[in-house]
Amino acid sequence: MSFRKVVRQSKFRHVFGQPVKNDQCYEDIRVSRVTWDSTFCAVNPKFLAVIVEASGGGAFLVLPLTKTGRIDKAYPTVCGHTGPVLDIDWCPHNDEVIASGSEDCTVMVWQIPENGLASPLTEPVVVLEGHTKRVGIVTWHPTARNVLLSAGCDNVVLIWNVGTAEELYRLDSLHPDLIYNVSWNRNGSLFCSACKDKSVRIIDPRRGVLVAEREKAHEGARPMRAIFLADGKVFTTGFSRMSERQLALWDPGWQREGSGLA
């Protein structure tokens, strides 16, 4: 008896992309090599920001979108942190405001000049201090002005009023292990998080309660991520026990605190 291996044909197998020309790319950027699971870049309608290698602290580049091509090694950076920068996020309400989190346990908010940087920027508008370990996640509230979320390796989520530099909410008992990522839902009433304990959680920050939790969303030991989609579903990426890449779409059919993701 013979067995024929069946290979599923991909409808994309004959699709080829067209490489962008060099003069339309950003070249010679020394992207940070710090060991952290981050995109190391952020973009808005005016600027591209990239976390870069820096000696004696942390820094990131801010480039106008039109400044493509080879980037001069002497191009000015945002360099006020005393430790490597781990995450950056542009404010959705102001294209010239960006937040950064660092190994120095602080979050800083920066005002970028309208035409970009002409000299190094070392003085932040606001410094937010509340974490006891490095800050690996910063993300702005999608609808409320001056509201910023930060999460650190202390397993604490803080929500800040940037205008007054005050803590609005401190969530320090909902994550037993390292937080991999955080994502707001569309109106900012909830956020989801992926944690090293392999659980995906839906959290109401105002009440400080766990709305829903999916244990072992992905059973692999490697990092996973979770994001809210516009329709309220949760999309996750992770790994199986055999280290195979997995993608999953969850319908969060919760109605009460503690109910699971369907």
Side-chain angles (χ1 to χ4, degrees):
M1 182 182 293
S2 63
F3 293 92
R4 186 177 64 179
K5 185 177 181 181
V6 177
V7 179
R8 186 173 61 180
Q9 298 295 322
S10 170
K11 60 183 178 181
F12 301 110
R13 66 180 301 186
H14 297 302
V15 176
F16 300 95
Q18 181 66 38
V20 177
K21 295 180 180 177
N22 288 345
D23 61 357
Q24 295 177 292
C25 298
Y26 302 90
E27 290 191 291
D28 271 7
I29 296 177
R30 295 175 296 118
V31 179
S32 174
R33 291 178 292 179
V34 66
T35 54
W36 185 252
D37 187 27
S38 170
T39 58
F40 294 109
C41 65
V43 68
N44 70 12
K46 290 185 67 174
F47 298 109
L48 167 69
V50 184
I51 302 173
V52 294
E53 285 289 305
S55 57
F60 58 94
L61 282 173
V62 175
L63 303 169
L65 294 185
T66 55
K67 186 175 177 55
T68 54
R70 195 175 298 276
I71 306 301
D72 193 323
K73 287 183 172 57
Y75 194 88
T77 60
V78 180
C79 51
H81 283 286
T82 58
V85 177
L86 301 179
D87 196 23
I88 48 178
D89 192 39
W90 288 105
C91 177
H93 309 292
N94 186 333
D95 288 341
E96 294 162 11
V97 172
I98 187 170
S100 59
S102 168
E103 281 193 5
D104 63 12
C105 306
T106 67
V107 176
M108 294 185 180
V109 179
W110 308 85
Q111 178 79 40
I112 305 300
E114 182 178 355
N115 298 317
L117 297 177
S119 60
L121 182 59
T122 59
E123 293 296 326
V125 178
V126 180
V127 179
L128 305 174
E129 297 178 309
H131 289 283
T132 58
K133 294 184 179 180
R134 60 182 181 169
V135 182
I137 299 167
V138 289
T139 179
W140 292 92
H141 193 281
T143 58
R145 287 182 177 271
N146 290 333
V147 176
L148 178 70
L149 179 151
S150 65
C153 292
D154 50 9
N155 308 336
V156 175
V157 175
L158 297 178
I159 297 176
W160 303 89
N161 180 337
V162 173
T164 61
E166 294 177 320
E167 287 183 21
L168 295 176
Y169 305 102
R170 171 178 285 263
L171 309 173
D172 55 8
S173 61
L174 298 177
H175 297 91
D177 211 329
L178 180 67
I179 303 167
Y180 285 139
N181 89 295
V182 172
S183 174
W184 291 101
N185 68 350
R186 196 163 191 177
N187 62 14
S189 61
L190 304 169
F191 67 80
C192 68
S193 65
C195 184
K196 192 175 181 179
D197 68 353
K198 304 180 184 178
S199 288
V200 174
R201 295 173 173 84
I202 309 293
I203 294 169
D204 181 338
R206 292 168 184 81
R207 293 190 296 146
V209 297
L210 186 66
V211 176
E213 180 177 6
R214 177 72 181 194
E215 297 180 356
K216 295 185 178 179
H218 298 278
E219 295 194 352
R222 298 171 69 181
M224 64 179 183
R225 300 180 76 85
I227 61 169
F228 260 118
L229 303 183
D231 62 0
K233 293 184 175 65
V234 175
F235 181 75
T236 63
T237 66
F239 295 86
S240 70
R241 287 181 179 177
M242 305 300 293
S243 293
E244 298 169 319
R245 171 71 73 179
Q246 292 181 328
L247 310 175
L249 182 64
W250 307 93
D251 183 7
W254 64 84
Q255 296 296 331
R256 60 185 177 82
E257 180 182 343
S259 63
L261 298 180

